[in-house]
Amino acid sequence: MSALMEAVRAGRTGELPGLLDGMTDAERRAFLPELKELRKELRADRWGAQARRASPALQVAGAACQTGAAAVANWLASADMRWWQAPPAVLIDVLADRESDWLADVVHRLAQRPPSAEVPYELMAGLVRLSACRVPTTQAYVEGWVRHIGSVWQRGDTVLARLRKDPHLPQLVAALFETDDIGGTLQWPADEGPNSWTGALAQLTAEGALERGAMVHACVSRLLRGGSAADHRGFLRLLKALALTRDEERERTPEWLALAADAPSVVAGYAQSVLGGLALEGRLSGRQLAEMSGGVLFRTEKKLVRAQLVLLGKVMARDAATADELLPAAAQAFGHEDSDVQERALKLVERHLKKAGPETRDELAVAAEQLIPTLRARAVASLGAAPAAMEPVAYEEVLPPVPESVRLAPAPESVAELAEEVGALLVTGDDVAAFERTLDGLVRHAHGDRDALVEALGPVVARLWWVTADDERVRESAYFANFTHLHLVLASLLGKVRTAALHAAVTQGTTGQTCVHSALDRAFQARIAEVAFRMRTDPLPFLLSTPTWSTGLLEPEDLVERLIEYRRLGARPSDADFAQALLRVRRGDRAAAAAAERAAALGTPEGTRLAQWLTSGGPQLPVGWRRTTHARVLVEFDQLEELQDDFPREFRPLGQPVSVYRERWYCYHWDDSIRPHWLALLPERRELVAARMLRDLSTVAVEDTRGAAAVLPLLAESGGEAGDAVHLCVAYGLGARHEEDRLAAVDALLVLAARGQLDATLLGTDLGQLVRDGVVKPLRLADSLRTAASTGANATIWGMLRHTLPLLLGDLAACGPEGQAARSRGLGELLAVAAECAERSGARGELPHLAGAAARRGSSRLVTQARRLQGALVEEVAA
């Protein structure tokens, strides 16, 4: 072995510059085959001691022995070199004897790599110095430069001092404004001064090292471009640090107008304050102020809208001549979604109405038609608006179309197509329909031509951990128990799991699990394990349980046809697969009765069992009741005998009691993507599944977790009774912390309503109780219900809130002055949603305890909205 290779294998990186010095290009290239072979050897066990020791030296030697710039850049930035990198100083040393143009080519290729490649900034900066080339301004280089400059705590100086010494300061600062997701850096540290980015850049601008006009323009342009919240905050902080003069602000009036209308709230607020200052100094024309108001008054942020109305009032108070231009602008707020904003705008218009001319008064009277009924009645007297029509307009509820189940396509016919679908599932997760048809395809092709299937799957699974790891280590690994379902089937096909382990999984199951999800998981895994085992020992021709529809439902005629084909082939059904087919098959209709006759005529045990199952009536549910634990309302079920004696052992827990106290609620079933598969286990008994998922769903409201509510739309689309468990799942979702979970709950609510399965009384009462107990926060619930109502479901939402609000208003009336503040928090928003729904749907009648809330003193959100709702429920208001 040569001295060079010996040093590389031993990891003696410091010796390499001396060994490489003086070698010709040809001599260096001669070592490449050995270096590449060593690279393959280390890649096979990248976390071992040998890889940690030799990889840095291998990176240095490979970079020195490559002669092409592209090859060196690829070598240095390759993924397998990322974990154990050589010191940048050593790499620069061995590359220092190359020509400047060659070095420049290398560094620009490295800088073009994404930041995830983790090319050290020190290496790129050193090559820039050696080659004297123009500095790269790519995202990777700029992010590296920012981290390097910001690491002052390691070096004892300041950001300002380091920036002053940087020879490429103007180019890199200009690139800073073009780099995505860099604004967070500009906010660190929070204090201003020479050690903060904003303080340092502002100081350098004041000193003239950076051109002021360019800096101001770059900041404003970056805010206009948009980006992440961190970017907006960071560049806004820098803009404030530059302390623009009034002249500089006035020069950019069009930009402030655009930002006030469309930018995120924090930026829009700053733009609004700048324009407000200009307006009050007479530097903003009435036309420009009206244009600004048109953008701001339709924003959802009440703080910005209120500030704009105040600004309009101040300007009109100072200059009465502006009223004809600004009053119509203020009247645009008559159409705002928030009634408080409408009332503020009406008060402003009434205050300055005498300054307006006849044409403006007519315009304001027309605009008043957008006001809510109570305010419009007031505008009839104050603005001369036309009274509301005496004949009420018939309200029509708008609900989404009832979702239609999608029929599953047949399994892929060719192994090539099947391999593509397997690859897609491995990358994107597993939709129930895609998983079921792919699983059936794997079973069919494993039975027909196993060798061709294994060959086609080779490239798809090549990078999975159990393929690249040592065979014996995988075979003996205890991690077998945690193979995901698709991986277990693939590992069985490729011989990566011992047959004895598969046999044990089939015969022993997972009886040790005691969590609330274990019944669902055991049944689901039992079928997967038996399919994997039969692939190795007695391949099935196809699956009996592949659903007909995307919800998991199986048509009885399809199952009978499959049993007929099994009998023709002489195939032995899988117990778990047949049990799953029974749980999925449609029952209780004429098609089921006709299929039962054909099944009985088969003369096979499975045919007889299917006939009995199809004629035993529709899907049954056990006796259930509610239980409150730790402020959560959960559901318990008694045993369901129908799922006991004639089902395999791993399926019987599906019908066993669900208990809040007997089963663990914390376990390893943390993957949200498995829940749709649980629903497809029992497509006509969603209450059983919902009861076992209810604790998980409650966490989105109680513990502010994210993502568990994503299954709610599928729960609403599933079959069977929608009882206590389903409605409680939706209730928790409506009170979720995160917006995407609330939107999923809104979708589920609307689907249940469209299918005629929503019990508004039940859900409304549940929500009232959960709000009373502090489990659901009123503001989150109001946001969800407002979103649902905005789709046109006003009567549906009012039907719920008329049962929610009495509970909350009754508590408010019963508690003393000390507890009223806590009880009233967020209640005004719920009343606002209820009032809007009542107005739009034409709801009438009395609401318990509402009169007491409306009679309270003051003009708080709760009181004004209680009065609004009370007015909407009295028929005479419409007149």
Side-chain angles (χ1 to χ4, degrees):
M1 182 184 297
S2 66
L4 178 67
M5 291 304 301
E6 184 178 347
V8 171
R9 286 187 172 275
R12 299 195 295 271
T13 308
E15 297 180 11
L16 297 181
L19 293 172
L20 292 163
D21 191 26
M23 284 188 186
T24 65
D25 286 348
E27 290 172 335
R28 293 186 179 188
R29 282 196 297 268
F31 284 103
L32 280 176
E34 289 184 81
L35 292 171
K36 291 179 179 179
E37 191 61 35
L38 176 58
R39 182 181 181 182
K40 290 181 182 178
E41 181 182 326
L42 297 181
R43 190 183 295 163
D45 188 17
R46 68 179 62 179
W47 308 111
Q50 174 63 13
R52 292 196 299 271
R53 180 172 59 251
S55 290
L58 176 63
Q59 187 182 33
V60 171
C65 293
Q66 304 272 6
T67 56
V72 171
N74 288 337
W75 184 275
L76 290 173
S78 60
D80 55 329
M81 297 288 179
R82 190 176 307 160
W83 300 106
W84 318 110
Q85 297 192 33
V90 179
L91 291 168
I92 293 170
D93 189 9
V94 299
L95 296 175
D97 59 346
R98 304 297 182 95
E99 295 179 357
S100 297
D101 291 345
W102 186 92
L103 291 172
D105 192 5
V106 171
V107 71
H108 279 276
R109 289 177 182 272
L110 291 175
Q112 289 293 336
R113 298 279 176 157
S116 58
E118 298 181 10
V119 179
Y121 167 77
E122 291 79 3
L123 171 61
M124 294 187 287
L127 295 176
V128 168
R129 285 194 301 273
L130 279 176
S131 63
C133 66
R134 61 180 176 82
V135 64
T137 54
T138 64
Q139 184 165 357
Y141 194 92
V142 173
E143 287 187 5
W145 173 70
V146 167
R147 287 194 298 269
H148 175 73
I149 293 294
S151 60
V152 293
W153 61 274
Q154 295 177 330
R155 305 171 188 272
D157 53 5
T158 64
V159 169
L160 177 60
R162 305 201 75 193
L163 288 174
R164 277 191 179 128
K165 294 182 288 186
D166 196 305
H168 306 292
L169 178 65
Q171 298 94 320
L172 290 173
V173 170
L176 195 67
F177 293 96
E178 303 299 325
T179 304
D180 293 331
D181 300 322
I182 203 73
T185 302
L186 302 182
Q187 302 177 69
W188 186 90
D191 297 332
E192 296 292 346
N195 204 29
S196 73
W197 273 91
T198 51
L201 291 175
Q203 180 63 32
L204 290 170
T205 303
E207 294 173 359
L210 296 171
E211 201 274 312
R212 180 176 179 81
M215 289 291 289
V216 173
H217 176 74
C219 274
V220 176
S221 298
R222 181 56 188 264
L223 294 175
L224 283 168
R225 192 181 89 184
S228 65
D231 277 351
H232 283 115
R233 288 192 297 267
F235 288 103
L236 178 60
R237 180 179 173 184
L238 176 57
L239 184 62
K240 290 178 179 179
L242 292 174
L244 273 62
T245 65
R246 277 295 188 213
D247 288 338
E248 288 175 323
E249 290 176 343
R250 187 177 182 184
E251 290 172 2
R252 292 168 175 80
T253 296
E255 287 91 335
W256 305 131
L257 290 172
L259 291 172
D262 299 320
S265 183
V266 63
V267 178
Y270 176 76
Q272 184 186 44
S273 67
V274 171
L275 290 169
L278 293 173
L280 293 175
E281 292 177 5
R283 299 189 178 197
L284 198 67
S285 69
R287 180 189 59 78
Q288 290 173 320
L289 183 54
E291 178 187 347
M292 171 193 176
S293 300
V296 175
L297 291 179
F298 280 96
R299 294 186 66 109
T300 57
E301 302 95 331
K302 297 176 189 175
K303 181 179 179 181
L304 295 180
V305 174
R306 288 196 295 264
Q308 191 65 23
L309 292 173
V310 169
L311 175 62
L312 290 171
K314 288 181 177 179
V315 173
M316 285 187 287
R318 302 177 80 146
D319 185 0
T322 61
D324 283 328
E325 202 160 22
L326 298 185
L327 281 176
Q332 293 180 78
F334 290 174
H336 197 276
E337 63 180 17
D338 186 81
S339 63
D340 285 352
V341 171
Q342 292 186 18
E343 186 172 11
R344 283 175 179 268
L346 180 58
K347 286 180 179 179
L348 175 65
V349 170
E350 290 171 339
R351 190 181 308 124
H352 297 280
L353 183 63
K354 60 185 178 181
K355 303 173 184 177
E359 292 183 1
T360 301
R361 290 171 179 263
D362 292 342
E363 187 177 348
L364 295 173
V366 172
E369 295 178 3
Q370 304 173 77
L371 293 167
I372 62 173
T374 52
L375 295 179
R376 184 174 179 182
R378 175 172 140 190
V380 170
S382 61
L383 304 183
M390 296 298 294
E391 292 295 328
V393 177
Y395 172 75
E396 184 176 352
E397 184 82 342
V398 178
L399 293 172
V402 176
E404 296 184 2
S405 300
V406 178
R407 183 178 283 272
L408 264 65
E413 294 184 0
S414 69
V415 291
E417 182 186 357
L418 177 60
E420 288 182 6
E421 299 210 4
V422 169
L425 276 177
L426 290 173
V427 172
T428 62
D430 33 24
D431 168 79
V432 169
F435 171 75
E436 290 291 345
R437 65 185 297 270
T438 302
L439 180 64
D440 188 42
L442 290 171
V443 169
R444 289 173 183 270
H445 287 287
H447 179 270
D449 191 344
R450 180 193 184 94
D451 293 339
L453 176 59
V454 170
E455 183 179 354
L457 290 173
V460 174
V461 302
R463 301 184 68 178
L464 299 179
W465 73 269
W466 47 265
V467 174
T468 57
D470 177 71
D471 281 357
E472 286 304 316
R473 188 161 66 91
V474 174
R475 287 171 179 268
E476 300 296 337
S477 175
Y479 190 72
F480 162 75
N482 292 328
F483 267 110
T484 60
H485 33 277
L486 184 61
H487 284 247
L488 179 58
V489 174
L490 295 173
S492 174
L493 269 172
L494 273 66
K496 287 287 186 175
V497 183
R498 295 163 63 97
T499 305
L502 291 169
H503 183 258
V506 172
T507 57
Q508 298 173 15
T510 53
T511 54
Q513 298 181 22
T514 58
C515 70
V516 71
H517 316 98
S518 61
L520 301 168
D521 189 62
R522 287 173 62 178
F524 180 73
Q525 297 294 349
R527 182 176 67 127
I528 302 300
E530 194 160 334
V531 165
F533 176 64
R534 290 288 296 270
M535 277 183 172
R536 189 74 60 80
T537 58
D538 182 16
L540 298 167
F542 52 83
L543 293 177
L544 295 173
S545 61
T546 302
T548 306
W549 303 101
S550 55
T551 59
L553 195 63
L554 174 58
E555 292 296 338
E557 282 298 323
D558 290 347
L559 182 53
V560 172
E561 290 295 335
R562 293 170 190 174
L563 287 176
I564 292 173
E565 182 64 13
Y566 259 61
R567 186 184 64 174
R568 187 186 70 80
L569 296 172
R572 179 174 61 89
S574 156
D575 291 341
D577 185 42
F578 182 61
Q580 176 63 93
L582 292 179
L583 293 177
R584 283 179 169 168
V585 72
R586 185 194 301 276
R587 301 163 62 193
D589 57 13
R590 291 182 179 179
E597 295 180 7
R598 295 185 64 201
L602 285 174
T604 63
E606 289 76 24
T608 302
R609 174 75 175 98
L610 175 59
Q612 294 172 348
W613 182 253
L614 291 175
T615 55
S616 61
Q620 301 175 13
L621 284 179
V623 176
W625 58 90
R626 293 177 173 223
R627 176 89 70 175
T628 301
T629 173
H630 302 296
R632 305 172 206 258
V633 180
L634 303 175
V635 172
E636 295 186 328
F637 277 123
D638 207 343
Q639 182 158 295
L640 182 60
E641 295 299 334
E642 186 180 45
L643 300 183
Q644 296 305 304
D645 296 338
D646 293 331
F647 278 86
R649 179 187 58 186
E650 293 298 281
F651 285 79
R652 292 172 196 162
L654 290 172
Q656 291 174 358
V658 179
S659 170
V660 170
Y661 298 111
R662 276 186 247 160
E663 294 170 315
R664 288 186 296 110
W665 292 90
Y666 292 96
C667 58
Y668 68 84
H669 297 110
W670 50 265
D671 184 5
D672 294 338
S673 66
I674 194 63
R675 294 192 182 100
H677 294 281
W678 289 345
L679 279 172
L681 278 173
L682 298 163
E684 291 195 298
R685 287 188 177 93
R686 58 181 163 189
E687 270 288 291
L688 286 181
V689 183
R692 294 187 179 275
M693 296 194 300
L694 184 53
R695 172 62 174 75
D696 299 335
L697 268 296
S698 71
T699 62
V700 300
V702 181
E703 298 167 16
D704 293 349
T705 60
R706 185 194 297 267
V711 75
L712 285 176
L714 295 179
L715 181 65
E717 293 174 23
S718 191
E721 179 183 338
D724 284 354
V726 170
H727 282 77
L728 281 170
C729 283
V730 174
Y732 286 120
L734 292 172
R737 163 67 177 82
H738 297 284
E739 183 179 13
E740 61 267 32
D741 287 316
R742 294 199 298 273
L743 289 175
V746 168
D747 286 345
L749 168 68
L750 296 175
V751 168
L752 287 173
R755 298 181 69 186
Q757 297 169 341
L758 178 68
D759 188 333
T761 301
L762 175 62
L763 182 55
T765 305
D766 284 345
L767 287 169
Q769 188 60 52
L770 292 174
V771 172
R772 293 173 78 181
D773 295 341
V775 175
V776 168
K777 293 180 171 54
L779 289 176
R780 297 177 184 175
L781 176 59
D783 179 74
S784 296
L785 298 184
R786 182 177 286 111
T787 301
S790 67
T791 66
N794 295 286
T796 299
I797 302 306
W798 168 245
M800 293 164 45
L801 284 174
R802 64 189 299 269
H803 297 284
T804 302
L805 290 173
L807 298 175
L808 307 180
L809 292 171
D811 287 351
L812 183 67
C815 67
E818 300 80 7
Q820 286 188 356
R823 290 288 183 184
S824 63
R825 189 174 298 118
L827 182 53
E829 292 300 323
L830 283 174
L831 286 167
V833 177
E836 185 172 348
C837 291
E839 290 166 353
R840 293 183 176 180
S841 64
R844 299 290 182 265
E846 294 185 4
L847 190 71
H849 308 295
L850 178 62
R856 292 161 65 97
R857 295 180 179 179
S859 58
S860 67
R861 178 76 164 166
L862 186 150
V863 173
T864 57
Q865 295 304 318
R867 292 169 182 167
R868 176 188 174 189
L869 176 58
Q870 186 179 40
L873 294 177
V874 178
E875 189 171 1
E876 288 75 16
V877 170

